Amino acid sequence: MAQQAYMTETDNGGSDPERRETRIRRLFDRVVNGWRGDRRIWTRGLVTAAVALILAVTMAAHSHVPNAIGNLGSLTETFLPWLGLLIPVLLLIALVRKSATALIALILPVSVWLNLFGGLFFAKAAPGGDLTVATHNVNADNADPAGTARAVAAAGADVLALEELKASAVPTYEKALEAKYPHHAVVGTVGLWSKYPISGVKAVDIELGWKRAMRATVATPSGPIAVYVAHLPSVRVKLEAGFTARQRDKSANALGAAIGDEKLPRKILLGDLNGTMNDRSLTAITSQLRSPQGAVGSGFGFSWPASFPMARIDQILVTGVEPMTSWTLPATGSDHLPIAARVKVDTTAS
């Protein structure tokens, strides 16, 4: 009798999955019935639809956003991926307003965003490679330079660049890294550590008045590579001046000219460029070199600020070598995250 009563109750009330399915179906029917026959679904939400179209145009034509007023174009390009956060907000408004027009308009910004950034979420890394490089802005105010050096060295990079080196902290970095890197050079506030011999070390003039960029030849087993290390001037966002990046842009042009004059065909740039690959003001550099993160990385690879990364302003850029994989390293005592990449040296280049 007890079993019969249980079976009867189950037949009347339904199992839990059946109840959930029924509730979902009822909710769906309620939403559909609420929209069905409502002629205003095409006239409501026109402002939301207009904002969606403006968002799509801004993302698609970001290179045409003018820089004349407060470097608005560069500011937009620096945080371009984050414009996608407006899409779910607009979607929620469209649903609340029951606006079919707004929902259809949202297809455009979704398509543009996916076209720009969707490919970053597909695995593109390839096995192999014979050279691992890394770079890290260690922060001049880093309270634990020795710990930071050990953490970055643990990534196993063959060539390591450090930026924002405080003169008093350089001996600490040298001591912490000497066991893994027998070769190194420091020029001003940037330095290069290598498992392979270094030669041709010289400062690169990026028109700052002090040394924040260098060039060296690293003799890898597969051949020499020109390695540049740079820390471009910082940028600021100010209410009265907008995105202040004039000195950064000037230094980027000077660095681009130096790289363009390089005689060696294999080139790697490591450093804090204070700008993203989307920023048109870095074209003098980015037009000559490619980003392993964009080519074979997974995700955006944001590096700054370390507490809540919002932009990839630290860069590894290459030419004459084949990117294999790219990744972001764990946080250290710096306000930047270190980044790394593995490449295959093109032995046909000479």
Side-chain angles (χ1 to χ4, degrees):
M1 292 294 293
Q3 183 178 7
Q4 182 179 358
Y6 174 78
M7 291 175 64
T8 303
E9 183 180 350
T10 301
D11 291 341
N12 290 337
S15 64
D16 285 344
E18 289 174 345
R19 290 196 196 100
R20 284 195 295 269
E21 184 178 350
T22 301
R23 284 196 294 268
I24 293 172
R25 187 183 299 116
R26 287 173 180 170
L27 178 60
F28 178 78
D29 290 341
R30 190 179 301 121
V31 171
V32 172
N33 291 334
W35 287 52
R36 185 179 295 154
D38 184 354
R39 297 179 180 177
R40 295 188 61 203
I41 63 173
W42 300 106
T43 57
R44 281 193 300 260
L46 295 181
V47 173
T48 304
V51 172
L53 294 176
I54 293 172
L55 175 61
V57 171
T58 300
M59 290 190 295
H62 60 84
S63 61
H64 296 287
V65 177
N67 252 345
I69 303 175
N71 279 316
L72 183 60
S74 287
L75 178 60
T76 300
E77 289 165 337
T78 298
F79 298 103
L80 190 61
W82 293 94
L83 292 182
L85 289 180
L86 291 174
I87 293 174
V89 174
L90 294 174
L91 175 61
L92 180 60
I93 294 173
L95 291 173
V96 171
R97 292 280 294 154
K98 295 182 180 179
S99 170
T101 301
L103 287 175
I104 293 173
L106 275 170
I107 294 174
L108 193 55
V110 169
S111 301
V112 172
W113 194 92
L114 290 175
N115 181 62
L116 289 172
F117 305 111
L120 294 175
F121 297 95
F122 293 95
K124 296 169 289 184
D130 49 16
L131 184 72
T132 300
V133 297
T135 182
H136 189 27
N137 179 325
V138 296
N139 188 355
D141 297 324
N142 194 321
D144 184 20
T148 295
R150 287 192 297 269
V152 179
D158 301 302
V159 177
L160 170 65
L162 300 181
E163 303 87 48
E164 206 166 299
L165 290 169
K166 195 174 183 178
S168 59
V170 169
T172 303
Y173 286 106
E174 290 175 332
K175 183 176 181 180
L177 295 171
E178 63 182 356
K180 288 192 174 182
Y181 300 99
H183 311 279
H184 86 279
V186 175
V187 175
T189 61
V190 298
L192 183 67
W193 277 258
S194 174
K195 294 180 179 179
Y196 308 121
I198 296 175
S199 63
V201 176
K202 64 178 182 180
V204 176
D205 183 10
I206 55 173
E207 302 184 12
L208 273 176
W210 67 96
K211 297 174 182 178
R212 282 182 31 161
M214 63 176 287
R215 179 261 182 222
T217 298
V218 176
T220 76
S222 299
I225 298 177
V227 177
Y228 287 78
V229 183
H231 182 193
L232 297 187
S234 299
V235 296
R236 296 287 185 271
V237 181
K238 300 179 180 179
L239 290 177
E240 72 278 9
F243 190 63
T244 57
R246 182 174 300 175
Q247 184 58 60
R248 189 279 311 266
D249 299 347
K250 182 179 179 182
S251 293
N253 290 334
L255 179 60
I259 293 172
D261 291 338
E262 174 61 50
K263 303 304 181 185
L264 289 178
R266 305 185 191 98
K267 310 171 195 176
I268 297 179
L269 169 62
L270 307 167
D272 174 5
L273 303 189
N274 272 303
T276 68
M277 291 296 290
N278 292 317
D279 192 337
R280 75 194 70 169
S281 296
L282 299 185
T283 300
I285 298 170
T286 57
S287 62
Q288 304 182 66
L289 308 168
R290 64 191 298 213
S291 166
Q293 181 64 28
V296 295
S298 178
F300 293 106
F302 293 150
S303 63
W304 177 88
S307 57
F308 188 83
M310 297 181 66
R312 185 180 177 87
I313 62 175
D314 301 275
Q315 304 291 350
I316 296 173
L317 304 177
V318 304
T319 189
V321 300
E322 184 65 26
M324 306 304 289
T325 186
S326 174
W327 67 98
T328 302
L329 299 172
T332 67
S334 173
D335 57 340
H336 291 243
L337 294 178
I339 61 174
R342 188 157 180 80
V343 302
K344 180 179 180 182
V345 179
D346 180 8
T347 56
T348 63
S350 59

PDB file of all heavy atoms in Angstrom, residues 198-235:
ATOM      1  N   ILE A 198      75.495  37.830 -24.793  1.00  0.00           N
ATOM      2  CA  ILE A 198      74.954  39.119 -25.225  1.00  0.00           C
ATOM      3  C   ILE A 198      76.098  39.977 -25.747  1.00  0.00           C
ATOM      4  O   ILE A 198      77.178  40.020 -25.162  1.00  0.00           O
ATOM      5  CB  ILE A 198      74.261  39.845 -24.051  1.00  0.00           C
ATOM      6  CG1 ILE A 198      73.043  39.066 -23.566  1.00  0.00           C
ATOM      7  CG2 ILE A 198      73.846  41.253 -24.452  1.00  0.00           C
ATOM      8  CD1 ILE A 198      72.400  39.682 -22.318  1.00  0.00           C
ATOM      9  N   SER A 199      75.833  40.682 -26.841  1.00  0.00           N
ATOM     10  CA  SER A 199      76.816  41.619 -27.377  1.00  0.00           C
ATOM     11  C   SER A 199      76.084  42.805 -27.994  1.00  0.00           C
ATOM     12  O   SER A 199      74.856  42.817 -28.083  1.00  0.00           O
ATOM     13  CB  SER A 199      77.700  40.921 -28.430  1.00  0.00           C
ATOM     14  OG  SER A 199      76.908  40.492 -29.539  1.00  0.00           O
ATOM     15  N   GLY A 200      76.849  43.786 -28.421  1.00  0.00           N
ATOM     16  CA  GLY A 200      76.271  44.942 -29.101  1.00  0.00           C
ATOM     17  C   GLY A 200      75.272  45.716 -28.266  1.00  0.00           C
ATOM     18  O   GLY A 200      74.298  46.267 -28.795  1.00  0.00           O
ATOM     19  N   VAL A 201      75.517  45.768 -26.963  1.00  0.00           N
ATOM     20  CA  VAL A 201      74.586  46.470 -26.064  1.00  0.00           C
ATOM     21  C   VAL A 201      74.741  47.974 -26.242  1.00  0.00           C
ATOM     22  O   VAL A 201      75.848  48.513 -26.224  1.00  0.00           O
ATOM     23  CB  VAL A 201      74.855  46.075 -24.597  1.00  0.00           C
ATOM     24  CG1 VAL A 201      73.950  46.873 -23.664  1.00  0.00           C
ATOM     25  CG2 VAL A 201      74.661  44.585 -24.399  1.00  0.00           C
ATOM     26  N   LYS A 202      73.607  48.636 -26.410  1.00  0.00           N
ATOM     27  CA  LYS A 202      73.638  50.095 -26.500  1.00  0.00           C
ATOM     28  C   LYS A 202      72.277  50.676 -26.128  1.00  0.00           C
ATOM     29  O   LYS A 202      71.249  49.998 -26.209  1.00  0.00           O
ATOM     30  CB  LYS A 202      74.011  50.551 -27.912  1.00  0.00           C
ATOM     31  CG  LYS A 202      73.006  50.178 -28.983  1.00  0.00           C
ATOM     32  CD  LYS A 202      73.435  50.716 -30.350  1.00  0.00           C
ATOM     33  CE  LYS A 202      72.405  50.389 -31.432  1.00  0.00           C
ATOM     34  NZ  LYS A 202      72.807  50.913 -32.753  1.00  0.00           N
ATOM     35  N   ALA A 203      72.305  51.910 -25.695  1.00  0.00           N
ATOM     36  CA  ALA A 203      71.054  52.607 -25.384  1.00  0.00           C
ATOM     37  C   ALA A 203      70.356  52.983 -26.683  1.00  0.00           C
ATOM     38  O   ALA A 203      70.997  53.234 -27.705  1.00  0.00           O
ATOM     39  CB  ALA A 203      71.335  53.846 -24.552  1.00  0.00           C
ATOM     40  N   VAL A 204      69.044  53.008 -26.644  1.00  0.00           N
ATOM     41  CA  VAL A 204      68.237  53.467 -27.779  1.00  0.00           C
ATOM     42  C   VAL A 204      67.608  54.787 -27.383  1.00  0.00           C
ATOM     43  O   VAL A 204      66.930  54.881 -26.352  1.00  0.00           O
ATOM     44  CB  VAL A 204      67.144  52.438 -28.140  1.00  0.00           C
ATOM     45  CG1 VAL A 204      66.259  52.981 -29.255  1.00  0.00           C
ATOM     46  CG2 VAL A 204      67.779  51.120 -28.562  1.00  0.00           C
ATOM     47  N   ASP A 205      67.842  55.796 -28.179  1.00  0.00           N
ATOM     48  CA  ASP A 205      67.322  57.129 -27.885  1.00  0.00           C
ATOM     49  C   ASP A 205      65.839  57.200 -28.240  1.00  0.00           C
ATOM     50  O   ASP A 205      65.464  57.155 -29.416  1.00  0.00           O
ATOM     51  CB  ASP A 205      68.097  58.180 -28.683  1.00  0.00           C
ATOM     52  CG  ASP A 205      67.637  59.604 -28.369  1.00  0.00           C
ATOM     53  OD1 ASP A 205      66.859  59.778 -27.400  1.00  0.00           O
ATOM     54  OD2 ASP A 205      68.060  60.535 -29.090  1.00  0.00           O
ATOM     55  N   ILE A 206      64.987  57.285 -27.224  1.00  0.00           N
ATOM     56  CA  ILE A 206      63.547  57.436 -27.467  1.00  0.00           C
ATOM     57  C   ILE A 206      63.082  58.847 -27.084  1.00  0.00           C
ATOM     58  O   ILE A 206      61.927  59.057 -26.736  1.00  0.00           O
ATOM     59  CB  ILE A 206      62.723  56.352 -26.748  1.00  0.00           C
ATOM     60  CG1 ILE A 206      63.016  56.325 -25.247  1.00  0.00           C
ATOM     61  CG2 ILE A 206      62.984  54.993 -27.371  1.00  0.00           C
ATOM     62  CD1 ILE A 206      62.094  55.372 -24.477  1.00  0.00           C
ATOM     63  N   GLU A 207      64.042  59.780 -27.134  1.00  0.00           N
ATOM     64  CA  GLU A 207      63.763  61.211 -27.000  1.00  0.00           C
ATOM     65  C   GLU A 207      63.104  61.554 -25.663  1.00  0.00           C
ATOM     66  O   GLU A 207      62.127  62.308 -25.609  1.00  0.00           O
ATOM     67  CB  GLU A 207      62.894  61.696 -28.174  1.00  0.00           C
ATOM     68  CG  GLU A 207      63.548  61.436 -29.520  1.00  0.00           C
ATOM     69  CD  GLU A 207      62.746  61.993 -30.686  1.00  0.00           C
ATOM     70  OE1 GLU A 207      61.814  62.768 -30.438  1.00  0.00           O
ATOM     71  OE2 GLU A 207      63.063  61.655 -31.836  1.00  0.00           O
ATOM     72  N   LEU A 208      63.679  61.004 -24.607  1.00  0.00           N
ATOM     73  CA  LEU A 208      63.189  61.298 -23.270  1.00  0.00           C
ATOM     74  C   LEU A 208      64.152  62.151 -22.457  1.00  0.00           C
ATOM     75  O   LEU A 208      63.741  62.831 -21.516  1.00  0.00           O
ATOM     76  CB  LEU A 208      62.946  59.986 -22.506  1.00  0.00           C
ATOM     77  CG  LEU A 208      61.587  59.311 -22.662  1.00  0.00           C
ATOM     78  CD1 LEU A 208      61.569  57.991 -21.911  1.00  0.00           C
ATOM     79  CD2 LEU A 208      60.479  60.216 -22.163  1.00  0.00           C
ATOM     80  N   GLY A 209      65.439  62.056 -22.811  1.00  0.00           N
ATOM     81  CA  GLY A 209      66.426  62.764 -22.015  1.00  0.00           C
ATOM     82  C   GLY A 209      67.082  61.875 -20.989  1.00  0.00           C
ATOM     83  O   GLY A 209      68.067  62.262 -20.364  1.00  0.00           O
ATOM     84  N   TRP A 210      66.553  60.675 -20.774  1.00  0.00           N
ATOM     85  CA  TRP A 210      67.203  59.679 -19.931  1.00  0.00           C
ATOM     86  C   TRP A 210      66.971  58.306 -20.556  1.00  0.00           C
ATOM     87  O   TRP A 210      66.166  58.164 -21.467  1.00  0.00           O
ATOM     88  CB  TRP A 210      66.732  59.744 -18.488  1.00  0.00           C
ATOM     89  CG  TRP A 210      65.301  59.369 -18.231  1.00  0.00           C
ATOM     90  CD1 TRP A 210      64.837  58.149 -17.842  1.00  0.00           C
ATOM     91  CD2 TRP A 210      64.158  60.223 -18.313  1.00  0.00           C
ATOM     92  NE1 TRP A 210      63.479  58.187 -17.687  1.00  0.00           N
ATOM     93  CE2 TRP A 210      63.030  59.450 -17.961  1.00  0.00           C
ATOM     94  CE3 TRP A 210      63.970  61.569 -18.648  1.00  0.00           C
ATOM     95  CZ2 TRP A 210      61.741  59.967 -17.956  1.00  0.00           C
ATOM     96  CZ3 TRP A 210      62.688  62.091 -18.635  1.00  0.00           C
ATOM     97  CH2 TRP A 210      61.598  61.297 -18.287  1.00  0.00           C
ATOM     98  N   LYS A 211      67.695  57.303 -20.062  1.00  0.00           N
ATOM     99  CA  LYS A 211      67.735  56.004 -20.742  1.00  0.00           C
ATOM    100  C   LYS A 211      66.639  55.070 -20.241  1.00  0.00           C
ATOM    101  O   LYS A 211      66.666  54.618 -19.098  1.00  0.00           O
ATOM    102  CB  LYS A 211      69.115  55.377 -20.548  1.00  0.00           C
ATOM    103  CG  LYS A 211      70.240  56.196 -21.173  1.00  0.00           C
ATOM    104  CD  LYS A 211      71.611  55.631 -20.832  1.00  0.00           C
ATOM    105  CE  LYS A 211      72.716  56.504 -21.442  1.00  0.00           C
ATOM    106  NZ  LYS A 211      74.071  56.002 -21.083  1.00  0.00           N
ATOM    107  N   ARG A 212      65.686  54.754 -21.163  1.00  0.00           N
ATOM    108  CA  ARG A 212      64.625  53.806 -20.840  1.00  0.00           C
ATOM    109  C   ARG A 212      64.422  52.809 -21.975  1.00  0.00           C
ATOM    110  O   ARG A 212      63.388  52.176 -22.070  1.00  0.00           O
ATOM    111  CB  ARG A 212      63.310  54.545 -20.559  1.00  0.00           C
ATOM    112  CG  ARG A 212      63.326  55.141 -19.180  1.00  0.00           C
ATOM    113  CD  ARG A 212      62.106  55.851 -18.717  1.00  0.00           C
ATOM    114  NE  ARG A 212      60.815  55.428 -19.185  1.00  0.00           N
ATOM    115  CZ  ARG A 212      59.676  55.744 -18.548  1.00  0.00           C
ATOM    116  NH1 ARG A 212      59.712  56.437 -17.421  1.00  0.00           N
ATOM    117  NH2 ARG A 212      58.523  55.376 -19.042  1.00  0.00           N
ATOM    118  N   ALA A 213      65.431  52.654 -22.819  1.00  0.00           N
ATOM    119  CA  ALA A 213      65.360  51.679 -23.908  1.00  0.00           C
ATOM    120  C   ALA A 213      66.771  51.233 -24.268  1.00  0.00           C
ATOM    121  O   ALA A 213      67.726  52.018 -24.159  1.00  0.00           O
ATOM    122  CB  ALA A 213      64.656  52.250 -25.123  1.00  0.00           C
ATOM    123  N   MET A 214      66.897  49.971 -24.669  1.00  0.00           N
ATOM    124  CA  MET A 214      68.205  49.436 -25.030  1.00  0.00           C
ATOM    125  C   MET A 214      68.060  48.418 -26.149  1.00  0.00           C
ATOM    126  O   MET A 214      66.965  47.927 -26.441  1.00  0.00           O
ATOM    127  CB  MET A 214      68.863  48.765 -23.812  1.00  0.00           C
ATOM    128  CG  MET A 214      68.100  47.563 -23.281  1.00  0.00           C
ATOM    129  SD  MET A 214      68.932  46.698 -21.911  1.00  0.00           S
ATOM    130  CE  MET A 214      70.268  45.897 -22.791  1.00  0.00           C
ATOM    131  N   ARG A 215      69.196  48.108 -26.751  1.00  0.00           N
ATOM    132  CA  ARG A 215      69.257  47.106 -27.823  1.00  0.00           C
ATOM    133  C   ARG A 215      70.463  46.226 -27.570  1.00  0.00           C
ATOM    134  O   ARG A 215      71.523  46.676 -27.134  1.00  0.00           O
ATOM    135  CB  ARG A 215      69.371  47.812 -29.169  1.00  0.00           C
ATOM    136  CG  ARG A 215      69.459  46.880 -30.384  1.00  0.00           C
ATOM    137  CD  ARG A 215      70.872  46.715 -30.848  1.00  0.00           C
ATOM    138  NE  ARG A 215      70.936  45.860 -32.048  1.00  0.00           N
ATOM    139  CZ  ARG A 215      71.855  44.925 -32.248  1.00  0.00           C
ATOM    140  NH1 ARG A 215      72.809  44.719 -31.349  1.00  0.00           N
ATOM    141  NH2 ARG A 215      71.828  44.205 -33.351  1.00  0.00           N
ATOM    142  N   ALA A 216      70.312  44.919 -27.838  1.00  0.00           N
ATOM    143  CA  ALA A 216      71.422  43.984 -27.685  1.00  0.00           C
ATOM    144  C   ALA A 216      71.251  42.845 -28.679  1.00  0.00           C
ATOM    145  O   ALA A 216      70.149  42.560 -29.142  1.00  0.00           O
ATOM    146  CB  ALA A 216      71.488  43.442 -26.263  1.00  0.00           C
ATOM    147  N   THR A 217      72.346  42.188 -29.006  1.00  0.00           N
ATOM    148  CA  THR A 217      72.310  40.981 -29.824  1.00  0.00           C
ATOM    149  C   THR A 217      72.461  39.776 -28.905  1.00  0.00           C
ATOM    150  O   THR A 217      73.414  39.698 -28.128  1.00  0.00           O
ATOM    151  CB  THR A 217      73.447  40.969 -30.857  1.00  0.00           C
ATOM    152  OG1 THR A 217      73.302  42.085 -31.744  1.00  0.00           O
ATOM    153  CG2 THR A 217      73.410  39.684 -31.677  1.00  0.00           C
ATOM    154  N   VAL A 218      71.490  38.862 -28.984  1.00  0.00           N
ATOM    155  CA  VAL A 218      71.542  37.628 -28.194  1.00  0.00           C
ATOM    156  C   VAL A 218      71.924  36.493 -29.135  1.00  0.00           C
ATOM    157  O   VAL A 218      71.238  36.247 -30.137  1.00  0.00           O
ATOM    158  CB  VAL A 218      70.191  37.338 -27.518  1.00  0.00           C
ATOM    159  CG1 VAL A 218      70.252  36.003 -26.775  1.00  0.00           C
ATOM    160  CG2 VAL A 218      69.828  38.463 -26.553  1.00  0.00           C
ATOM    161  N   ALA A 219      73.021  35.793 -28.790  1.00  0.00           N
ATOM    162  CA  ALA A 219      73.522  34.715 -29.648  1.00  0.00           C
ATOM    163  C   ALA A 219      72.848  33.400 -29.258  1.00  0.00           C
ATOM    164  O   ALA A 219      73.396  32.602 -28.493  1.00  0.00           O
ATOM    165  CB  ALA A 219      75.034  34.612 -29.519  1.00  0.00           C
ATOM    166  N   THR A 220      71.660  33.140 -29.788  1.00  0.00           N
ATOM    167  CA  THR A 220      70.950  31.896 -29.506  1.00  0.00           C
ATOM    168  C   THR A 220      71.573  30.751 -30.317  1.00  0.00           C
ATOM    169  O   THR A 220      72.266  31.002 -31.312  1.00  0.00           O
ATOM    170  CB  THR A 220      69.460  32.009 -29.859  1.00  0.00           C
ATOM    171  OG1 THR A 220      69.307  31.937 -31.278  1.00  0.00           O
ATOM    172  CG2 THR A 220      68.870  33.302 -29.349  1.00  0.00           C
ATOM    173  N   PRO A 221      71.332  29.497 -29.921  1.00  0.00           N
ATOM    174  CA  PRO A 221      71.866  28.367 -30.696  1.00  0.00           C
ATOM    175  C   PRO A 221      71.396  28.358 -32.143  1.00  0.00           C
ATOM    176  O   PRO A 221      72.063  27.765 -33.008  1.00  0.00           O
ATOM    177  CB  PRO A 221      71.330  27.151 -29.932  1.00  0.00           C
ATOM    178  CG  PRO A 221      71.134  27.632 -28.538  1.00  0.00           C
ATOM    179  CD  PRO A 221      70.681  29.057 -28.670  1.00  0.00           C
ATOM    180  N   SER A 222      70.270  29.002 -32.422  1.00  0.00           N
ATOM    181  CA  SER A 222      69.736  29.023 -33.791  1.00  0.00           C
ATOM    182  C   SER A 222      70.151  30.263 -34.564  1.00  0.00           C
ATOM    183  O   SER A 222      69.740  30.454 -35.708  1.00  0.00           O
ATOM    184  CB  SER A 222      68.204  28.924 -33.755  1.00  0.00           C
ATOM    185  OG  SER A 222      67.793  27.728 -33.145  1.00  0.00           O
ATOM    186  N   GLY A 223      70.944  31.121 -33.936  1.00  0.00           N
ATOM    187  CA  GLY A 223      71.401  32.310 -34.630  1.00  0.00           C
ATOM    188  C   GLY A 223      71.165  33.570 -33.822  1.00  0.00           C
ATOM    189  O   GLY A 223      70.426  33.563 -32.819  1.00  0.00           O
ATOM    190  N   PRO A 224      71.761  34.690 -34.245  1.00  0.00           N
ATOM    191  CA  PRO A 224      71.646  35.941 -33.492  1.00  0.00           C
ATOM    192  C   PRO A 224      70.266  36.576 -33.639  1.00  0.00           C
ATOM    193  O   PRO A 224      69.631  36.491 -34.687  1.00  0.00           O
ATOM    194  CB  PRO A 224      72.724  36.825 -34.127  1.00  0.00           C
ATOM    195  CG  PRO A 224      72.852  36.301 -35.530  1.00  0.00           C
ATOM    196  CD  PRO A 224      72.628  34.824 -35.428  1.00  0.00           C
ATOM    197  N   ILE A 225      69.831  37.205 -32.566  1.00  0.00           N
ATOM    198  CA  ILE A 225      68.557  37.916 -32.552  1.00  0.00           C
ATOM    199  C   ILE A 225      68.785  39.295 -31.950  1.00  0.00           C
ATOM    200  O   ILE A 225      69.454  39.425 -30.912  1.00  0.00           O
ATOM    201  CB  ILE A 225      67.494  37.172 -31.726  1.00  0.00           C
ATOM    202  CG1 ILE A 225      67.207  35.795 -32.325  1.00  0.00           C
ATOM    203  CG2 ILE A 225      66.203  37.973 -31.639  1.00  0.00           C
ATOM    204  CD1 ILE A 225      66.215  34.971 -31.520  1.00  0.00           C
ATOM    205  N   ALA A 226      68.253  40.321 -32.597  1.00  0.00           N
ATOM    206  CA  ALA A 226      68.288  41.666 -32.036  1.00  0.00           C
ATOM    207  C   ALA A 226      67.147  41.795 -31.037  1.00  0.00           C
ATOM    208  O   ALA A 226      65.979  41.644 -31.401  1.00  0.00           O
ATOM    209  CB  ALA A 226      68.149  42.706 -33.140  1.00  0.00           C
ATOM    210  N   VAL A 227      67.493  42.026 -29.793  1.00  0.00           N
ATOM    211  CA  VAL A 227      66.487  42.138 -28.732  1.00  0.00           C
ATOM    212  C   VAL A 227      66.459  43.578 -28.234  1.00  0.00           C
ATOM    213  O   VAL A 227      67.494  44.128 -27.828  1.00  0.00           O
ATOM    214  CB  VAL A 227      66.777  41.173 -27.572  1.00  0.00           C
ATOM    215  CG1 VAL A 227      65.751  41.363 -26.453  1.00  0.00           C
ATOM    216  CG2 VAL A 227      66.761  39.725 -28.065  1.00  0.00           C
ATOM    217  N   TYR A 228      65.275  44.152 -28.288  1.00  0.00           N
ATOM    218  CA  TYR A 228      65.066  45.501 -27.779  1.00  0.00           C
ATOM    219  C   TYR A 228      64.264  45.429 -26.483  1.00  0.00           C
ATOM    220  O   TYR A 228      63.320  44.640 -26.373  1.00  0.00           O
ATOM    221  CB  TYR A 228      64.304  46.347 -28.797  1.00  0.00           C
ATOM    222  CG  TYR A 228      65.136  46.753 -29.997  1.00  0.00           C
ATOM    223  CD1 TYR A 228      65.395  45.851 -31.019  1.00  0.00           C
ATOM    224  CD2 TYR A 228      65.656  48.041 -30.105  1.00  0.00           C
ATOM    225  CE1 TYR A 228      66.171  46.209 -32.116  1.00  0.00           C
ATOM    226  CE2 TYR A 228      66.423  48.415 -31.202  1.00  0.00           C
ATOM    227  CZ  TYR A 228      66.685  47.495 -32.205  1.00  0.00           C
ATOM    228  OH  TYR A 228      67.441  47.858 -33.275  1.00  0.00           O
ATOM    229  N   VAL A 229      64.651  46.249 -25.526  1.00  0.00           N
ATOM    230  CA  VAL A 229      63.905  46.373 -24.268  1.00  0.00           C
ATOM    231  C   VAL A 229      63.540  47.841 -24.122  1.00  0.00           C
ATOM    232  O   VAL A 229      64.399  48.721 -24.273  1.00  0.00           O
ATOM    233  CB  VAL A 229      64.744  45.918 -23.057  1.00  0.00           C
ATOM    234  CG1 VAL A 229      63.905  45.989 -21.779  1.00  0.00           C
ATOM    235  CG2 VAL A 229      65.286  44.518 -23.269  1.00  0.00           C
ATOM    236  N   ALA A 230      62.276  48.111 -23.859  1.00  0.00           N
ATOM    237  CA  ALA A 230      61.840  49.511 -23.798  1.00  0.00           C
ATOM    238  C   ALA A 230      60.757  49.714 -22.754  1.00  0.00           C
ATOM    239  O   ALA A 230      59.937  48.826 -22.492  1.00  0.00           O
ATOM    240  CB  ALA A 230      61.328  49.959 -25.170  1.00  0.00           C
ATOM    241  N   HIS A 231      60.783  50.883 -22.173  1.00  0.00           N
ATOM    242  CA  HIS A 231      59.726  51.329 -21.272  1.00  0.00           C
ATOM    243  C   HIS A 231      59.311  52.724 -21.737  1.00  0.00           C
ATOM    244  O   HIS A 231      59.977  53.710 -21.442  1.00  0.00           O
ATOM    245  CB  HIS A 231      60.226  51.373 -19.824  1.00  0.00           C
ATOM    246  CG  HIS A 231      59.178  51.774 -18.840  1.00  0.00           C
ATOM    247  ND1 HIS A 231      59.478  52.138 -17.535  1.00  0.00           N
ATOM    248  CD2 HIS A 231      57.827  51.885 -18.962  1.00  0.00           C
ATOM    249  CE1 HIS A 231      58.359  52.441 -16.894  1.00  0.00           C
ATOM    250  NE2 HIS A 231      57.348  52.309 -17.750  1.00  0.00           N
ATOM    251  N   LEU A 232      58.225  52.767 -22.502  1.00  0.00           N
ATOM    252  CA  LEU A 232      57.762  54.047 -23.030  1.00  0.00           C
ATOM    253  C   LEU A 232      57.130  54.879 -21.926  1.00  0.00           C
ATOM    254  O   LEU A 232      56.685  54.340 -20.900  1.00  0.00           O
ATOM    255  CB  LEU A 232      56.767  53.815 -24.164  1.00  0.00           C
ATOM    256  CG  LEU A 232      57.303  53.095 -25.407  1.00  0.00           C
ATOM    257  CD1 LEU A 232      56.250  53.097 -26.516  1.00  0.00           C
ATOM    258  CD2 LEU A 232      58.595  53.719 -25.910  1.00  0.00           C
ATOM    259  N   PRO A 233      57.075  56.197 -22.107  1.00  0.00           N
ATOM    260  CA  PRO A 233      56.507  57.075 -21.078  1.00  0.00           C
ATOM    261  C   PRO A 233      55.073  56.702 -20.719  1.00  0.00           C
ATOM    262  O   PRO A 233      54.322  56.181 -21.542  1.00  0.00           O
ATOM    263  CB  PRO A 233      56.574  58.463 -21.737  1.00  0.00           C
ATOM    264  CG  PRO A 233      57.678  58.356 -22.725  1.00  0.00           C
ATOM    265  CD  PRO A 233      57.621  56.948 -23.248  1.00  0.00           C
ATOM    266  N   SER A 234      54.730  57.003 -19.486  1.00  0.00           N
ATOM    267  CA  SER A 234      53.393  56.703 -18.997  1.00  0.00           C
ATOM    268  C   SER A 234      52.358  57.628 -19.622  1.00  0.00           C
ATOM    269  O   SER A 234      52.678  58.723 -20.105  1.00  0.00           O
ATOM    270  CB  SER A 234      53.341  56.846 -17.471  1.00  0.00           C
ATOM    271  OG  SER A 234      54.233  55.947 -16.848  1.00  0.00           O
ATOM    272  N   VAL A 235      51.121  57.175 -19.611  1.00  0.00           N
ATOM    273  CA  VAL A 235      49.993  57.986 -20.079  1.00  0.00           C
ATOM    274  C   VAL A 235      49.069  58.233 -18.891  1.00  0.00           C
ATOM    275  O   VAL A 235      49.080  57.498 -17.911  1.00  0.00           O
ATOM    276  CB  VAL A 235      49.222  57.287 -21.217  1.00  0.00           C
ATOM    277  CG1 VAL A 235      50.118  57.118 -22.438  1.00  0.00           C
ATOM    278  CG2 VAL A 235      48.700  55.930 -20.768  1.00  0.00           C
TER     279      VAL A 235
END
